[in-house]
Amino acid sequence: MSGLTSLKKRVEFLKNLLEVNEADGFFINNLQNVFYLTGFTGSSGYVLITRNKNYFLTDFRYMLQSKKEVSNLFKIVIIKKFDEIFDLLKEGKTLLCEKESLTLDLYEELKKKKLKIKPISSPVLDLRVYKNEEEIEKIRKAQKFSEKVLKKALSILKPDKTKEIELALEIEYEMKRNGFQVAFPTIVASGKHSALPHAKPRNVTIKNNSILLIDMGSVYKGYHSDMTRTFWVGNNPPDWFKEIYEITLNALSMVEEKIKIGMHVRDVDNIARSYITERGYGEKFGHGLGHGVGIEIHEKPSLSPRGKEIIDKGMVFTIEPGIYLENKGGVRIEDLACINKKGELEILTGFEKRLKKI
């Protein structure tokens, strides 16, 4: 699948699945997958691929928008009722559906149409693992912009005055003000609160002489970025903090030096996990090393002990080791990376990784 870099090839691949599965149509209702295949950014749209034609279906609200956005590989059909979609197939025909998106309501609707339903694991989710140069460039632009926003946010931070929630809102405001979307709710966690991997910003001030962890990302033309940096607010970080920061940074560097095409994602995760364990903090690193990033902030591959993928060209993923100490605080350092067309690891994150005091 890594060679399927054009939309035309990706649609042809899905068409070939009809023959492999002895089916007459493939229905796609996951909106992210619809966007991936057609370019449509609205909130109601569907794809139906048959052996002879490719359809994009939506309602009157999106008639003009779809004409501007949808690829000419698809025939646009405006429907008044949802079940009109399946009038394009005759009774008794076999229809593939994405099992991850097959709800009970949809299943019952299809049964009424007397179609043979064949749920399969969505091949579109697998196609999305391998980004082409255009997709990677969108992610790169989102990442570069996020770094500008983070630098500006740190410049206005006033210890003992600025609140966590205020800094998070400032980051998200700056993104939206410049035409970017927010990839996920921004994490700003200070002091002991930084020990929560998915901490929510609080209405409390960021104290001097404390940890500050910021996890943030933006969206450019439908593609996400993701980055975490941990700082020390003040001049004299304690030894325990410097120790876990150094271990986390070393784990990140080791992964970035050793990762190669053909490696199993579990082995990539183990590079960092075994090192952190050797240093005595294995139980304090409780999440996976990283995750794929693209149209969604979390997608394949999964760099974790439970991951199943093999590192290959076109993959974009995070590398984010962390150590979290209850009642003390935590450190996470997260880079965004890709395997470029040369088959080399390219770090998309340019923000400084060495311990920064602010």
Side-chain angles (χ1 to χ4, degrees):
M1 287 187 181
S2 60
L4 301 177
T5 56
S6 72
L7 177 57
K8 185 177 180 181
K9 287 182 179 179
R10 290 166 177 173
V11 172
E12 287 175 353
F13 173 80
L14 297 176
K15 251 177 162 36
N16 288 336
L17 286 180
L18 297 178
E19 291 188 24
V20 172
N21 288 276
E22 299 180 344
D24 304 287
F26 184 18
F27 177 63
I28 298 165
N29 62 322
N30 176 304
L31 266 178
Q32 285 79 24
N33 291 345
V34 170
F35 165 72
Y36 176 74
L37 293 172
T38 68
F40 178 70
T41 62
S43 63
S44 179
Y46 310 92
V47 165
L48 178 63
I49 295 174
T50 67
R51 298 205 175 201
N52 299 317
K53 292 185 179 180
N54 311 313
Y55 298 99
F56 168 78
L57 306 105
T58 188
D59 59 66
F60 174 81
R61 297 171 298 167
Y62 295 109
M63 181 171 63
L64 297 179
Q65 181 177 338
S66 59
K67 287 180 180 179
K68 292 180 180 179
E69 294 182 341
V70 173
S71 164
N72 58 15
L73 291 174
F74 293 85
K75 180 181 179 180
I76 298 171
V77 178
I78 304 301
I79 56 174
K80 293 181 180 179
K81 296 189 300 180
F82 174 75
D83 62 359
E84 291 177 15
I85 296 171
F86 308 108
D87 291 339
L88 295 167
L89 290 175
K90 294 180 180 179
E91 287 185 9
K93 295 296 183 180
T94 300
L95 182 68
L96 301 180
C97 295
E98 301 174 294
K99 73 176 185 180
E100 298 87 350
S101 305
L102 183 60
T103 64
L104 180 59
D105 285 345
L106 174 57
Y107 178 81
E108 291 177 343
E109 195 71 48
L110 293 172
K111 294 301 275 186
K112 289 178 186 176
K113 290 292 182 178
K114 298 182 180 178
L115 294 169
K116 297 176 183 177
I117 307 160
K118 191 172 185 179
I120 61 170
S121 294
S122 177
V124 185
L125 296 177
D126 293 323
L127 284 172
R128 282 170 45 187
V129 172
Y130 308 99
K131 279 75 175 176
N132 59 30
E133 286 298 303
E134 182 182 352
E135 292 172 292
I136 291 174
E137 184 58 27
K138 290 174 183 177
I139 295 170
R140 185 181 286 111
K141 286 182 178 180
Q143 177 58 36
K144 285 184 177 179
F145 177 72
S146 290
E147 293 179 30
K148 290 181 181 179
V149 172
L150 179 56
K151 288 177 183 176
K152 183 173 181 179
L154 293 176
S155 72
I156 65 171
L157 170 63
K158 295 180 180 179
D160 295 323
K161 290 185 179 180
T162 305
K163 296 179 178 180
E164 290 179 359
I165 191 67
E166 290 173 338
L167 196 61
L169 289 171
E170 183 63 33
I171 288 170
E172 295 184 0
Y173 167 74
E174 193 65 19
M175 288 177 183
K176 292 180 179 180
R177 190 174 73 86
N178 284 277
F180 288 72
Q181 294 173 285
V182 179
F184 53 89
T186 302
I187 294 174
V188 175
S190 62
K192 297 177 182 179
H193 199 54
S194 60
L196 281 66
H198 281 183
K200 294 181 180 179
R202 302 168 297 170
N203 191 32
V204 300
T205 56
I206 299 167
K207 303 295 184 184
N208 196 25
N209 294 313
S210 69
I211 302 169
L212 176 61
L213 185 151
I214 299 176
D215 189 346
M216 56 182 286
S218 60
V219 184
Y220 177 74
K221 293 186 177 181
Y223 284 80
H224 295 64
S225 70
D226 195 0
M227 166 181 64
T228 305
R229 288 294 184 265
T230 306
F231 309 98
W232 181 259
V233 180
N235 294 315
N236 300 303
D239 290 341
W240 68 265
F241 174 77
K242 289 190 288 186
E243 180 186 33
I244 65 171
Y245 193 97
E246 179 187 24
I247 293 170
T248 304
L249 181 57
N250 286 345
L252 177 67
S253 299
M254 289 171 68
V255 172
E256 293 178 351
E257 288 171 7
K258 295 181 180 181
I259 189 169
K260 287 183 173 54
I261 279 184
M263 288 183 69
H264 199 288
V265 289
R266 290 196 297 267
D267 295 329
V268 178
D269 175 274
N270 191 55
I271 295 171
R273 197 166 304 281
S274 61
Y275 170 72
I276 292 173
T277 299
E278 287 171 8
R279 295 299 302 270
Y281 292 97
E283 293 183 358
K284 306 302 180 182
F285 176 32
H287 56 72
L289 177 66
H291 56 85
V293 176
I295 291 172
E296 294 180 274
I297 193 60
H298 288 91
E299 54 184 50
K300 297 178 181 180
S302 172
L303 279 64
S304 76
R306 296 173 297 281
K308 299 178 180 179
E309 296 83 15
I310 302 295
I311 298 296
D312 204 349
K313 289 181 184 179
M315 288 185 169
V316 179
F317 47 82
T318 66
I319 307 170
E320 48 181 306
I323 297 174
Y324 310 92
L325 305 181
E326 188 177 358
N327 296 320
K328 279 192 171 183
V331 171
R332 181 167 66 256
I333 309 172
E334 176 185 24
D335 275 350
L336 185 59
C338 75
I339 305 295
N340 61 28
K341 60 183 178 181
K342 295 180 181 179
E344 301 169 341
L345 181 73
E346 179 183 341
I347 305 302
L348 303 179
T349 311
F351 203 96
E352 178 63 63
K353 287 178 272 199
R354 290 176 297 178
L355 178 57
K356 181 179 177 65
K357 303 171 192 175
I358 54 177

